[in-house]
Amino acid sequence: MALHFLLSSVFIFFAISVSPTLSSNSEVNALHALRARLTDHTNVLQSWDPTLVNPCTWFHVTCDSNNRVIRLDLGNSNISGTLGPELGGLQHLQYLELYMNKFEGKIPKELGNLKNLVSMDLYDNNFEGEIPKSFATLKSLKFLRLNNNRLTGSIPRELSALSNLKILDVSNNDLCGTVPIDGPFGSFPIESFENNSRLNGPELQGLVSYDFGC
Ligand SMILES: *[C@@H]1O[C@H](CO)[C@@H](O)[C@H](O)[C@H]1NC(C)=O
Ligand SMILES: *[C@@H]1O[C@H](CO)[C@@H](O)[C@H](O)[C@H]1NC(C)=O
């Protein structure tokens, strides 16, 4: 029993001391799972060799000096398919660039696990469903562009906690309710919200939020 414990400890210590040279399993799994959900009409993902343990050599994937995945650049790549919860495993990701494709389905709430995310660009796709409230935990987020999709529901009030958010664009969707006024919402231009036929103007100061038409 004690020996077994000791051996496990030694193994765990060894695994931890070796791991910085390789991307974590959750990162590799996340990218494999992403690829499995996609249809890659023009072979953009050809270099994503499923037999390689290290994705840092793949095109459109960028790693830092510790081989941790920090960017996924698949904008304008003629890709269709859905996103799954596994994407939340890219725990060091800073840039998630999936704009101008044909992604569909819901935006996984697990993207709220990407604590280091600086930029999330999902614009010009066919995403539907609601903007996840879990995005409120993305404290490093500066750019959030979800425009030109089919998103419904209200803009989560929780997003007003994103004090670093500089750019928000949710125009050209089917959102409803009222636009929050707190935090970064004080500085977003009206264009960020246009063409959401059931979205009302900023909520009145002091008025408890009524989600008109939601
Ligand atoms: C995108 O994929 C479609 C479907 O396979 C193909 O017909 C089209 O030529 C591709 N477009 C570009 C810009 O590669
Ligand atoms: C409004 O948004 C919808 C949904 O994205 C889009 O289909 C439509 O073309 C947009 N209308 C205008 C005038 O931009």
Side-chain angles (χ1 to χ4, degrees):
M1 188 70 184
L3 179 64
H4 180 245
F5 177 76
L6 179 68
L7 287 177
S8 316
S9 310
V10 168
F11 175 76
I12 288 167
F13 175 77
F14 180 73
I16 288 172
S17 50
V18 162
S19 60
T21 59
L22 280 180
S23 303
S24 74
N25 280 335
S26 70
E27 292 183 322
V28 176
N29 291 345
L31 292 170
H32 284 323
L34 171 65
R35 191 187 181 169
R37 290 172 184 277
L38 303 181
T39 305
D40 177 14
H41 298 283
T42 39
N43 265 331
V44 168
L45 304 179
Q46 203 166 23
S47 66
W48 289 30
D49 182 346
T51 65
L52 289 184
V53 193
N54 186 347
C56 298
T57 58
W58 298 356
F59 289 151
H60 313 290
V61 174
T62 307
C63 294
D64 65 9
S65 54
N66 293 319
N67 280 354
R68 297 183 300 204
V69 176
I70 54 169
R71 292 189 69 112
L72 196 51
D73 287 287
L74 291 172
N76 198 11
S77 298
N78 211 3
I79 288 172
S80 57
T82 59
L83 301 182
E86 314 86 16
L87 257 196
L90 294 175
Q91 48 191 306
H92 301 284
L93 199 68
Q94 295 172 18
Y95 293 83
L96 179 59
E97 306 298 326
L98 303 178
Y99 57 88
M100 291 172 74
N101 286 293
K102 289 179 181 144
F103 285 104
E104 57 187 18
K106 294 190 170 167
I107 300 175
K109 64 177 186 309
E110 289 78 6
L111 294 188
N113 296 339
L114 305 176
K115 300 283 187 279
N116 296 299
L117 210 59
V118 171
S119 173
M120 186 190 314
D121 283 321
L122 306 183
Y123 60 88
D124 277 297
N125 280 291
N126 296 323
F127 286 113
E128 57 188 33
E130 301 196 357
I131 301 172
K133 289 184 174 55
S134 62
F135 283 7
T137 58
L138 300 174
K139 301 295 185 205
S140 307
L141 200 62
K142 289 186 181 156
F143 309 101
L144 178 58
R145 283 172 280 232
L146 306 174
N147 49 294
N148 298 72
N149 280 292
R150 297 170 184 173
L151 300 174
T152 53
S154 56
I155 300 173
R157 230 135 230 95
E158 290 82 349
L159 297 191
S160 49
L162 297 177
S163 52
N164 288 311
L165 199 59
K166 300 278 179 281
I167 304 278
L168 173 77
D169 195 340
V170 294
S171 62
N172 302 311
N173 279 293
D174 192 20
L175 299 171
C176 58
T178 51
V179 176
I181 48 169
D182 296 329
F185 283 90
S187 56
F188 299 139
I190 195 81
E191 289 76 19
S192 294
F193 306 99
E194 67 187 6
N195 189 23
N196 286 276
S197 56
R198 296 180 302 136
L199 189 63
N200 290 279
E203 57 196 32
L204 296 171
Q205 204 102 35
L207 199 68
V208 196
S209 76
Y210 291 105
D211 282 339
F212 298 108
C214 257

